[in-house]
Amino acid sequence: VYYTWPKSREKEVRGVFSKLASDHIRRQFQIARKTLHIPNPGWVPDAAWDIIRAYWRSPQFKALQEQNKKNRNADGFAGKSGYRGGRISTCAHRQRL
């Protein structure tokens, strides 16, 4: 399938495509990391797939994964990464200023 768009929208179209593609690739790698026996998805060269899987099994990656998990759950970051209860109203912003 081929798609066309005006040249004036090239930057916007490429940006949206890059975002969607990177989200899809990230999700695919997350699934693959959880099940290390998953076969090569086909779009990754075999040599690279073997290197990636070996890295995911390495103690260095496991330690990094655990550290990141602790950082996400740390009390000091609860307000920054958790649900905040929605948007702050304009009135609340004025009061804070």
Side-chain angles (χ1 to χ4, degrees), residues 16-89:
V16 169
F17 178 78
S18 293
K19 168 93 173 85
L20 293 174
S22 67
D23 287 348
H24 176 73
I25 290 170
R26 181 177 33 81
R27 280 192 304 273
Q28 293 302 312
F29 278 142
Q30 285 173 343
I31 292 167
R33 267 197 312 271
K34 290 177 184 174
T35 55
L36 288 177
H37 62 277
I38 195 168
N40 185 341
W43 45 268
V44 178
D46 288 333
W49 185 246
D50 292 338
I51 293 169
I52 291 168
R53 289 181 62 209
Y55 175 66
W56 288 340
R57 290 187 199 120
S58 73
Q60 295 90 351
F61 181 77
K62 298 286 185 188
L64 182 64
Q65 209 173 22
E66 285 303 314
Q67 183 61 50
N68 288 338
K69 191 183 298 184
K70 288 177 188 174
N71 290 345
R72 282 191 301 271
N73 295 329
D75 291 337
F77 293 100
K80 294 180 183 174
S81 62
Y83 176 68
R84 293 187 190 195
R87 296 180 178 160
I88 300 170
S89 69

